[in-house]
Amino acid sequence: MKNILVIGSTGQIGSELTMKLRKLHPEGTVVAGYIKGSEPKGRLLESGPAEEADVLDGEELLRIVKKYHIDTVYNLAALLSATAEKRPELAWHIQIDGLINILEIAKDNRCAVFTPSSIGAFGPETPHLNTPQDTIMRPRSMYGCTKVATELLSDYYFHKFGVDTRSVRFPGLISNVTLPGGGTTDYAVEIYYAAVKGEEFVCPIAGGTFMDMMYMPDALRAAVEIMEADPSRLVHRNSFNIASMSFDPEILSAKIREHIPGFKMHYEVDPVRQAIADSWPDKMDDSCARKEWGWKPTYDLESMTVDMIEALRKKLKISTIEKAGV
Ligand code: AKB
């Protein structure tokens, strides 16, 4: 029986991961942790317990871990890359001071911990094509600094104290349930909303800028599978490159146009996001994840685009009806 705490359960990843974990572990408990102001609603609230779980409040986290006999923590609390550039101290506070609170509790209460890293952990000196698992990591963004420190701290607590920490370096994640916010790769989500609504998309990332991207169902599976992997096979822990597709805004808009022929896009490049994107890999090599725990993506750009358009057409139609008060 598993008892899991998802910190950041109302965010882009958390809102879907919490529901997936509840389906996978009906006999256990999956606690939806949230911060004040972003309380869970609807099925997320109704399908299991929810607790205010601020990573900066260690006492509160400990109370939750003890109350539900938590054995695994998914720590998804983070400011994404563009927001972290605006509020660097807060990003460090949440991502690192918060992580230490979690790791200390995990050490004393024998919890496994998943804290995602990101393509943002790499920097301009990193090889951008087929970025190796083990390579130069000198990010220039605060988000990147926190992700490298997250990987190091997570490995430190494993080697020093035996805390079962594992993680993946997420590419930009594309999803249709909860919008991301403040990320460099957000454009690849927003473009689908604009296309389905029949709006022209203003792209903040320049044509020719390639980044790794992944559809949310694959990302959720990766988060679950790495935590279920046979530990004796893991040479690495924090954190694994995982990849499924790489594209630039031109390729993405052309793919959308195959399904929505009238779709239009023009560029208004955001210099902060562009500088971050330019420093990130174009395409990562994920062979270690494939070898050590059997990672394999299922979606490519075509199958993701078909699914995104269908899901958003359904979702936006529902919200139109709701707005109209029907
Ligand atoms: C961001 O753009 O900041 C995130 C990420 C790639 O980690 N989506």
Side-chain angles (χ1 to χ4, degrees):
M1 194 170 86
K2 297 223 53 85
N3 295 322
I4 301 171
L5 169 62
V6 180
I7 296 175
S9 69
T10 56
Q12 187 198 11
I13 304 173
S15 57
E16 295 194 53
L17 182 63
T18 307
M19 297 306 293
K20 183 180 175 87
L21 290 167
R22 282 180 177 162
K23 273 200 196 103
L24 285 173
H25 303 289
E27 76 299 345
T29 306
V30 180
V31 181
Y34 61 90
I35 50 164
K36 226 185 214 91
S38 62
E39 287 77 5
K41 297 187 184 80
R43 285 185 57 230
L44 188 57
L45 180 64
E46 288 148 17
S47 58
E51 292 274 353
E52 194 176 327
D54 184 338
V55 284
L56 299 175
D57 187 344
E59 276 178 29
E60 196 53 20
L61 292 180
L62 180 59
R63 183 191 66 76
I64 298 167
V65 164
K66 289 202 177 295
K67 176 173 169 188
Y68 295 96
H69 307 286
I70 296 296
D71 53 61
T72 304
V73 178
Y74 280 88
N75 168 26
L76 307 175
L79 295 190
L80 293 186
S81 52
T83 305
E85 284 312 282
K86 288 192 195 130
R87 309 197 63 189
E89 282 180 48
L90 182 62
W92 183 268
H93 205 34
I94 292 172
Q95 268 120 263
I96 303 305
D97 299 334
L99 173 63
I100 290 191
N101 282 339
I102 293 164
L103 290 170
E104 278 296 309
I105 291 168
K107 175 177 73 133
D108 297 338
N109 294 272
R110 304 187 63 75
C111 304
V113 180
F114 173 91
T115 308
S117 186
S118 154
I119 51 173
F122 296 111
E125 292 94 2
T126 303
H128 279 212
L129 272 181
N130 297 322
T131 303
Q133 170 68 36
D134 302 308
T135 185
I136 303 163
M137 299 183 80
R138 304 286 297 174
R140 303 253 176 103
S141 68
M142 176 50 90
Y143 182 68
C145 294
T146 67
K147 287 301 171 191
V148 173
T150 292
E151 293 191 14
L152 294 172
L153 276 170
S154 299
D155 269 349
Y156 176 79
Y157 271 74
F158 169 66
H159 291 296
K160 180 95 179 173
F161 305 114
V163 179
D164 187 2
T165 56
R166 309 175 187 196
S167 73
V168 295
R169 294 179 182 135
F170 277 136
L173 299 183
I174 294 158
S175 65
N176 51 56
V177 174
T178 305
L179 279 164
T184 301
T185 58
D186 293 8
Y187 92 87
V189 179
E190 291 157 0
I191 193 172
Y192 283 103
Y193 278 80
V196 168
K197 285 190 213 157
E199 294 169 358
E200 180 162 352
F201 182 61
V202 183
C203 188
I205 298 294
T209 311
F210 282 77
M211 287 183 274
D212 277 295
M213 301 281 179
M214 184 174 287
Y215 198 30
M216 188 59 89
D218 276 338
L220 299 180
R221 212 166 35 72
V224 170
E225 285 176 8
I226 180 64
M227 295 311 280
E228 286 176 353
D230 173 357
S232 69
R233 285 182 63 198
L234 299 181
V235 179
H236 299 83
R237 277 182 169 260
N238 301 282
S239 180
F240 283 93
N241 286 1
I242 53 166
S244 64
M245 59 188 104
S246 165
F247 52 72
D248 81 325
E250 285 298 310
I251 292 174
L252 179 55
S253 60
K255 177 53 73 183
I256 291 174
R257 215 166 287 118
E258 285 174 21
H259 298 272
I260 304 178
F263 173 60
K264 287 198 181 70
M265 176 179 91
H266 72 272
Y267 293 100
E268 278 174 30
V269 172
D270 169 5
V272 174
R273 284 185 163 86
Q274 186 62 42
I276 295 172
D278 286 339
S279 74
W280 287 357
D282 293 2
K283 187 180 182 307
M284 291 189 291
D285 172 1
D286 62 0
S287 50
C288 283
R290 288 174 186 259
K291 192 166 147 214
E292 292 177 36
W293 49 279
W295 159 247
K296 199 168 180 287
T298 55
Y299 283 90
D300 60 10
L301 180 56
E302 169 65 17
S303 52
M304 174 179 78
T305 298
V306 168
D307 205 63
M308 274 297 280
I309 291 174
E310 196 187 311
L312 287 181
R313 278 191 172 138
K314 230 162 131 186
K315 176 177 171 172
L316 296 174
K317 190 166 156 239
I318 290 167
S319 63
T320 313
I321 292 168
E322 276 170 0
K323 263 194 205 146
V326 177

